[in-house]
Amino acid sequence: LPVAGKTVFEHLICEIPFARLFLSLGFGSEKVVSFLDDHKINGEYSIESKPLGSFGGLKSTVVKFRESLSQDIIVILGDVFVFDLMTDIRNIHSDRNSVLYSKNDHPFDSDRVIVKANGCVTGLIPKTSSITSEISNTTVSGLYVFRKKDILESPLSEGDIGMDFLPMLIEKGDVEAVRLTGVMKDVGSIERLNKIG
């Protein structure tokens, strides 16, 4: 998907100076693999044989490359446009899992976190919830830093990061929220992509 002369994927990999790039791919994976080859981008990938959801894809990738991955893994969903995020990532100094949150213009169809003053996440309000304005616009951005061991120890083998994996971590009191100061825009629909184009 083109934005400002580059694809959303190019913006992602230019923005985040990665030591190693690991991709969890599903539908349309051949286009991404071809893009990696054409642009000589050194990245490892796993391809789902059936749809596993965002967490299932993440876990299968972590299982496949567990020996090559660091203990803390930066996870970025593929339907976001990012700019100037490294300050936020460098500011994460926690031994807990981290979720970066921001305000967006569509909070009531986004997952939102309930954040205490100390930064601890105490709850998640999924986009399917009927709760609306009484909770502030603390929208999950699609950028996380997860501990490898928590991904591997999860009993889940498929499911969604926001709806399935995060609630398990929150219940253990093991998620901190970091306010996003960079730019991250959801481009998961044509309307939202056109807004930033």
Side-chain angles (χ1 to χ4, degrees):
L1 298 173
V3 175
K6 294 181 183 176
T7 65
V8 169
F9 182 60
E10 283 176 289
H11 284 287
L12 278 173
I13 61 175
C14 289
E15 181 68 24
I16 307 295
F18 53 87
R20 297 191 63 186
L21 177 66
F22 297 87
L23 301 169
S24 170
L25 304 175
F27 178 77
S29 59
E30 64 284 347
K31 293 177 184 176
V32 178
V33 171
S34 176
F35 184 89
L36 292 173
D37 293 342
D38 292 347
H39 291 79
K40 306 208 177 344
I41 297 169
N42 187 20
E44 309 271 355
Y45 54 86
S46 65
I47 301 174
E48 300 173 346
S49 56
K50 66 173 188 166
L52 299 174
S54 58
F55 180 74
L58 170 63
K59 184 170 184 179
S60 68
T61 302
V62 170
V63 167
K64 181 175 180 178
F65 297 110
R66 75 172 66 192
E67 300 304 320
S68 302
L69 290 164
S70 65
Q71 297 310 307
D72 293 308
I73 301 167
I74 298 170
V75 177
I76 305 173
L77 300 184
D79 64 348
V80 294
F81 172 79
V82 298
F83 179 73
D84 199 23
L85 296 181
M86 280 317 296
T87 300
D88 297 319
I89 292 172
R90 287 189 190 103
N91 284 339
I92 297 173
H93 302 292
S94 173
D95 60 351
R96 292 185 287 177
N97 296 283
S98 300
V99 55
L100 279 88
Y101 71 94
S102 63
K103 293 181 182 270
N104 73 15
D105 59 1
H106 54 92
F108 306 125
D109 70 345
S110 301
D111 295 332
R112 290 171 288 155
V113 286
I114 301 170
V115 183
K116 286 182 120 177
N118 65 359
C120 183
V121 176
T122 59
L124 178 79
I125 300 166
K127 60 183 139 205
T128 55
S129 172
S130 60
I131 297 174
T132 55
S133 59
E134 56 270 16
I135 301 297
S136 66
N137 186 353
T138 50
T139 304
V140 176
S141 66
L143 174 61
Y144 312 91
V145 179
F146 288 136
R147 293 186 307 210
K148 177 170 68 174
K149 76 176 193 62
D150 291 321
I151 296 169
L152 292 172
E153 290 173 1
S154 171
L156 301 171
S157 58
E158 54 187 69
D160 184 72
I161 289 173
M163 293 179 61
D164 301 309
F165 184 54
L166 269 182
M168 295 171 69
L169 297 176
I170 291 168
E171 189 174 311
K172 294 192 307 185
D174 201 14
V175 182
E176 72 159 355
V178 177
R179 178 80 165 94
L180 184 68
T181 62
V183 175
M184 179 170 273
K185 297 287 186 183
D186 178 341
V187 292
S189 71
I190 296 297
E191 296 79 26
R192 292 180 187 156
L193 179 66
N194 288 338
K195 280 185 181 179
I196 66 162

